[in-house]
Amino acid sequence: MRPRPPLKWVGGKGGLLRQFGPLLPKKPWDLYIEPFFGGGAVFFHLASSLFFQRWPTHAVLIDKNEELINFYRVVRGNLEELLADLRKHESTPEYYYRIRTLTPEGLTPVQRASRFLYLNKTGYNGLWRVNSKGQYNVPFGRYKKPRFLDEANLRLVSRALAQPGVHLLVGDYSLALNYAGPGTFIYLDPPYYLPKMARNPFYTRDRFGVKDQIRLAKIFRELDSRGCLL
């Protein structure tokens, strides 16, 4: 069995992995970098494929969403505690909104990760959207049986993330410049942005706009000039 993305994530590429196959580098890479990690569909696919079995598993996984990276770190290092906390959750509007009002900074890393996964799986359409204060504001999803406890897959995800060469970083996508060199394989999947899309989902309190896209293009050219596989 191969690990699947443990989260619902807008723009996730799980359905495109077969199309991505022919586009992957044909030669070995020393390091894999994903500056917009999100749901991690490509990494989890590679982590259990022949590519990562034959080649080094060194990977740098970056995302600006602190809740997201904390979740993955807990899955990697504190899975049993996370599973125990997830079993406490209920699928009712009253419980959902009570959990939604909790301040992440006042919780332990495990409680914070448990809240994050619960809200992601139970909130409307799997959105992760925050307001300008960074507060999660997605309404209750009204699913009959939301699956926020998929123990078998979480164990596979934990195993993939626990490989010694895998690093999880909170930060801007430009962190890739600190690690990338010739032969580094970098998968870029930035937020999509159109100026007229007033309801663009926001995953952090900082908006990803036109200036960010322009800066990303400059970083892309820099990575290309270093001989990275993009």
Side-chain angles (χ1 to χ4, degrees):
M1 295 178 62
R2 67 171 69 235
R4 303 183 310 277
L7 301 165
K8 296 181 179 180
W9 210 250
V10 175
K13 297 302 184 292
L16 297 175
L17 292 174
R18 288 187 179 181
Q19 298 179 44
F20 283 4
L23 304 176
L24 294 175
K26 300 300 186 293
K27 56 183 179 180
W29 57 80
D30 297 321
L31 173 66
Y32 173 80
I33 301 179
E34 193 164 342
F36 302 94
F37 190 46
V42 174
F43 169 76
F44 292 120
H45 172 72
L46 292 174
S48 57
S49 71
L50 289 176
F51 289 100
F52 268 35
Q53 290 174 24
R54 290 168 50 197
W55 301 344
T57 57
H58 300 298
V60 176
L61 311 174
I62 305 166
D63 202 282
K64 206 169 186 178
N65 189 319
E66 294 181 22
E67 297 301 302
L68 179 78
I69 296 299
N70 175 72
F71 166 74
Y72 285 124
R73 286 173 175 169
V74 169
V75 170
R76 177 178 64 185
N78 303 92
L79 181 61
E80 299 306 323
E81 296 95 320
L82 175 62
L83 292 173
D85 200 87
L86 286 170
R87 294 187 182 101
K88 302 175 183 177
H89 292 309
E90 305 170 10
S91 181
T92 65
E94 296 77 15
Y95 180 84
Y96 175 86
Y97 286 111
R98 179 160 62 86
I99 295 299
R100 195 182 79 165
T101 59
L102 296 176
T103 303
E105 291 75 13
L107 304 174
T108 66
V110 170
Q111 292 171 332
R112 194 169 178 173
S114 177
R115 173 183 179 270
F116 179 79
L117 180 60
Y118 169 76
L119 293 176
N120 174 264
K121 292 290 189 177
T122 313
Y124 177 74
N125 209 27
L127 290 174
W128 187 264
R129 183 187 65 198
V130 298
N131 59 24
S132 59
K133 296 180 180 179
Q135 299 167 331
Y136 179 77
N137 60 6
V138 175
F140 183 63
R142 300 190 180 279
Y143 301 107
K144 290 184 178 180
K145 292 183 179 180
R147 195 177 186 186
F148 45 80
L149 178 54
D150 185 349
E151 182 175 343
N153 187 55
L154 285 173
R155 291 192 182 282
L156 292 172
V157 169
S158 179
R159 188 182 307 165
L161 293 173
Q163 297 178 81
V166 176
H167 303 278
L168 290 160
L169 305 179
V170 176
D172 184 77
Y173 54 88
S174 61
L175 284 176
L177 294 171
N178 296 338
Y179 301 90
T184 300
F185 174 28
I186 304 178
Y187 171 64
L188 291 163
D189 186 19
Y192 306 121
Y193 174 82
L194 292 174
K196 295 183 180 180
M197 289 177 65
R199 295 188 179 183
N200 233 15
F202 301 120
Y203 307 119
T204 67
R205 69 186 67 190
D206 301 318
R207 304 328 191 202
F208 193 91
V210 173
K211 291 182 179 179
D212 294 285
Q213 295 284 8
I214 294 172
R215 185 163 67 95
L216 176 60
K218 293 179 180 178
I219 290 175
F220 182 95
R221 287 192 287 269
E222 169 62 24
L223 294 170
D224 182 56
S225 70
R226 294 185 185 185
C228 298
L229 308 172
L230 298 159

